[in-house]
Amino acid sequence: MLALFEKSVAQSPEGLRSPAVGGQENDVHGVVALLQHFSEVKERSVTISLGSACALAYSSVKYSPLLPLLFAVVDDIFCLFEGHIENLPHLKQQYGLTKTANEAIIVIEAYRTLRDRGPYPADQVVRDIHGKFAFVLFDNTSKSTFIAVDADCGVPFFWGADSEDHLILSDDVDLVKKACGKSFAPFPKGCFFTTSKGLQSFEHPLNELKPVPRVDSRGEVCGATYKVDSETKKPSGMPRVGSAANWSNNY
Amino acid sequence: MLAIFQKCLAHPPEELNSPHAHGGIKKSAKQPQEILRDFHLYHPTASFSASFSGGAAIASAGADPRCSPLQQRLFCGLDEVYCIFVGRLDNLSSLIRQYGLCGKSSNEAVLVIEAYRTLRDRGPYPADQVVKDLIGSFAFVIFDNRVGSVFAALSEDGKIPLYWGIAAEGSVVISDDVDVIKGGCGKSFAPFPPGCMFHSEGGLKSFERPMNKMKAMPRVDSEGAMCGAFFKVDSCAKISSMPRVGSAANWSSWEEKL
């Protein structure tokens, strides 16, 4: 699977971009070239391009039945899901879905609930999904994205920033390497990425994430892994004020 | 809304093809890629396209906030079945109950996909009965990526304009925008016959009179050139179903006859 987001939709976090070292000959540059390369390399591929904001591509062959790749589009929300959810029946009941719902539908419904009603914070919603998974969701109405992996990153998932500052995500490391050169890294486990708030950890939602530059086998700086910084805490949502304060200003 | 299927996937009726224009300006048919590109130029914002490696492409201009609920465009993709739906279904809630879907997250496109899937996998009713059960003004195109088949239908009141044509290399183009079709197919296009459904294997059939064959009547456009064909139900020619034979007949060869 492959997902490409423009800068306005997904701002790649700092530290992911490494200074350009000099690309390889078979590097692929640009959205169209990358999609074309994907269609050539994978058999039975499907490419979806949503204007300039986003492009998704996937091919369902060569996936193990235990960690399948699913794609669904409902109500202008596009979701690519790879992996397996263990508490599937419990989530179906929680979100009120029918027996025909698969993992991608559940993720779309969870995102829709989060977007429209917001009963729980986003990190709680992702923590509620147990299993080995990685998913990429794009909401065409608000042009925003939601990307997450599980706490142990059971599915190989990589992301990178290419020369035009597009965010590229894929489970195929060669594809990301070709598009991003050295500016790529495995997606940090236990984290999720949204358009509005960027990268957050859902295991420790109140702590900031610190980029740790990683060095590949050739000794060059290659993207960054993100670790939870147990020292710094994000400013808490509830400000301390006196009893005469007006809470509606916080919305 | 735009759907392009290559010749190997969908076999359009031959009469739609009008390659030679007698007199007048000869408009040549375009390649599928060019038609897609023109569609994107026409609808620059909120449009998306999905291309399948088997030779199909679907594009939609997305939800238009200005358009009324009577003419809404919905796109849905579930389990490798993709559907573009234009229009509305009046008996949506009873159909949702019939197909066992949950009411709050099911729109018309989800329902039509479920109806198609039931038809494909279990086939409890014939296809014309399933489409006749959909009450409303609608037009939809379904592409099944797993099987590689196309299913399109237009309601009998014909309130939603739907056109189809043949582009370069024999690919079928279906769209509700006549300019896209004209630009892409030259003279080889026609309005999709209302009250009919088209399947890539089964061809064109009327779901109001399923036992009668369809006849192509050539149509001439304002420039006086042949332009595709109108398809009408032929009340005389019937599709043969059960052969009339005597009581001593051997029915074991019935399968081959059909």
Side-chain angles (χ1 to χ4, degrees):
Chain A
M1 72 147 128
L2 173 68
L4 257 149
F5 296 109
E6 202 197 25
K7 196 169 169 181
S8 57
V9 171
Q11 181 97 32
S12 53
E14 48 168 291
L16 198 60
R17 293 230 70 194
S18 307
V21 183
Q24 313 272 41
E25 301 88 39
N26 54 354
D27 259 3
V28 181
H29 291 289
V31 177
V32 176
L34 187 60
L35 285 177
Q36 228 161 1
H37 174 76
F38 186 89
S39 323
E40 284 161 25
V41 170
K42 311 272 181 191
E43 34 179 286
R44 293 203 58 204
S45 62
V46 180
T47 49
I48 294 123
S49 59
L50 292 108
S52 56
C54 161
L56 302 164
Y58 73 95
S59 148
S60 348
V61 297
K62 292 209 181 108
Y63 278 93
S64 98
L66 298 169
L67 295 173
L69 179 68
L70 301 162
F71 174 72
V73 180
V74 180
D75 260 354
D76 257 355
I77 304 175
F78 297 75
C79 175
L80 264 172
F81 182 96
E82 187 186 347
H84 164 76
I85 297 185
E86 276 155 12
N87 58 342
L88 196 67
H90 172 250
L91 285 174
K92 268 193 214 176
Q93 208 173 22
Q94 181 177 344
Y95 288 104
L97 297 167
T98 62
K99 57 183 160 84
T100 51
N102 62 10
E103 281 90 338
I105 303 292
I106 289 181
V107 168
I108 290 180
E109 193 60 39
Y111 169 77
R112 226 197 324 210
T113 314
L114 193 61
R115 176 190 72 181
D116 299 337
R117 301 193 284 122
Y120 314 111
D123 51 277
Q124 180 70 38
V125 171
V126 187
R127 233 180 302 164
D128 269 344
I129 309 176
H130 304 148
K132 286 188 189 179
F133 60 87
F135 66 81
V136 176
L137 190 146
F138 179 70
D139 184 357
N140 200 18
T141 38
S142 54
K143 301 271 191 278
S144 53
T145 179
F146 193 96
I147 304 161
V149 294
D150 67 292
D152 298 314
C153 211
V155 167
F157 199 55
F158 304 89
W159 62 340
D162 76 343
S163 44
E164 288 156 27
D165 241 354
H166 291 125
L167 187 69
I168 301 193
L169 301 118
S170 176
D171 54 352
D172 185 352
V173 66
D174 298 314
L175 217 56
V176 183
K177 255 194 230 174
K178 279 213 168 80
C180 308
K182 292 272 167 212
S183 306
F184 78 97
F187 197 90
K189 47 179 150 183
C191 292
F192 67 102
F193 180 90
T194 51
T195 297
S196 45
K197 294 245 175 81
L199 189 68
Q200 299 169 74
S201 159
F202 61 78
E203 292 175 303
H204 304 277
L206 295 172
N207 293 39
E208 296 277 359
L209 281 167
K210 201 166 61 173
V212 173
R214 64 181 200 124
V215 177
D216 72 350
S217 49
R218 260 182 254 156
E220 289 157 350
V221 174
C222 184
T225 45
Y226 292 83
K227 293 236 179 309
V228 176
D229 194 351
S230 38
E231 311 293 308
T232 59
K233 267 192 179 308
K234 281 197 197 146
S236 173
M238 282 177 88
R240 291 171 177 274
V241 289
S243 46
N246 184 2
W247 285 92
S248 58
N249 295 337
N250 292 345
Y251 277 69
Chain B
M1 185 251 270
L2 173 66
I4 305 177
F5 304 106
Q6 285 191 354
K7 199 171 178 185
C8 46
L9 275 178
H11 310 289
E14 282 304 318
E15 295 87 351
L16 260 186
N17 211 352
S18 307
H20 310 291
H22 302 293
I25 310 156
K26 179 152 181 236
K27 282 194 206 160
S28 53
K30 286 200 187 143
Q31 296 281 344
Q33 300 297 89
E34 295 169 3
I35 305 180
L36 255 183
R37 209 182 45 217
D38 288 342
F39 184 84
H40 277 298
L41 285 172
Y42 208 62
H43 301 273
T45 58
S47 76
F48 75 91
S49 71
S51 322
F52 303 88
S53 63
I58 295 181
S60 176
D64 194 355
R66 289 172 291 131
C67 79
S68 62
L70 301 165
Q71 276 263 6
Q72 56 182 348
R73 286 199 188 100
L74 299 164
F75 175 75
C76 182
L78 286 175
D79 257 352
E80 302 224 49
V81 179
Y82 302 87
C83 167
I84 310 184
F85 183 95
V86 182
R88 72 170 204 283
L89 278 177
D90 291 330
N91 59 342
L92 184 65
S93 38
S94 66
L95 283 171
I96 287 176
R97 255 201 312 257
Q98 181 181 342
Y99 285 100
L101 299 170
C102 69
K104 67 177 165 88
S105 58
S106 303
N107 56 19
E108 278 92 336
V110 175
L111 178 86
V112 169
I113 288 186
E114 190 59 36
Y116 167 79
R117 244 203 313 205
T118 313
L119 196 57
R120 177 192 71 182
D121 300 336
R122 297 192 285 121
Y125 312 111
D128 53 279
Q129 183 69 40
V130 171
V131 187
K132 237 189 290 193
D133 271 343
L134 306 170
I135 302 174
S137 319
F138 59 86
F140 63 80
V141 179
I142 291 185
F143 174 62
D144 186 345
N145 196 19
R146 201 175 288 181
V147 177
S149 65
V150 177
F151 187 65
L154 180 60
S155 61
E156 62 272 5
D157 56 5
K159 288 215 182 102
I160 310 273
L162 190 70
Y163 303 90
W164 61 339
I166 300 188
E169 295 169 356
S171 6
V172 189
V173 182
I174 306 178
S175 174
D176 58 352
D177 190 345
V178 66
D179 300 313
V180 168
I181 291 263
K182 262 196 215 166
C185 304
K187 294 276 171 205
S188 306
F189 77 97
F192 195 92
C196 292
M197 56 190 189
F198 170 74
H199 186 258
S200 44
E201 309 287 312
L204 187 68
K205 249 189 357 186
S206 160
F207 57 81
E208 295 175 293
R209 316 256 304 265
M211 289 282 105
N212 293 41
K213 286 197 193 151
M214 304 287 300
K215 196 158 85 158
M217 291 178 2
R219 67 180 201 127
V220 178
D221 72 350
S222 52
E223 279 162 31
M226 281 273 294
C227 188
F230 277 129
F231 288 89
K232 292 223 182 307
V233 177
D234 193 348
S235 41
C236 308
K238 275 190 183 296
I239 299 173
S240 60
S241 49
M242 280 177 86
R244 290 174 176 274
V245 288
S247 44
N250 183 3
W251 285 91
S252 56
S253 58
W254 187 37
E255 282 298 301
E256 287 90 45
K257 265 196 188 152
L258 279 179

